[in-house]
Amino acid sequence: MNYLGSKIKLSSFIYNVISNSVEQKLVDCSFCDLFAGTGVIGNYFHDKVKSIIYNDREYYSFVINSAFYSKVSDEKYRTVLSELNQLEGSDGFIFQQYSELGAAGRLYFSAENGKKIDDIRMDIERRFRSSEIDQDFYILLWLPC
């Protein structure tokens, strides 16, 4: 999915300009994706350079680009997601502020989904605070939220 400002359509153009401008082989170079955003340019260069530095002022960019190259195993990720999906739900911030039955009266989520989101958010925080998951895994789990 693209968002407004995505550079995905420019990625091959940027690659060609850089590869024709640099005297060294790109596989021996590091690449810095300035204004990384969702990381589409850095990801395009990922297998073409020695290393990549992602830079952006926005926190969402850090989260997305960290998740792309997470060291968390697929098996562990799927196991924890399954556990999170089994949670019943609880009355918390999202339920109160964004669900149909919450105090704020907003209609972004059904009451059931608002409670489920709250329970998942709290369980992820609990796992992180108790060191059950590390920061890498914590960021990966927050991405779908």
Side-chain angles (χ1 to χ4, degrees), residues 27-65:
V27 295
D28 297 327
C29 297
S30 294
F31 178 77
C32 184
D33 187 359
L34 297 172
F35 310 103
T38 59
V40 296
I41 300 299
N43 293 337
Y44 188 85
F45 277 81
H46 181 72
D47 60 350
K48 297 168 179 56
V49 296
K50 179 172 61 175
S51 64
I52 298 178
I53 299 166
Y54 292 90
N55 180 68
D56 201 291
R57 184 177 181 190
E58 299 296 329
Y59 185 68
Y60 83 89
S61 181
F62 167 74
V63 172
I64 289 171
N65 290 301

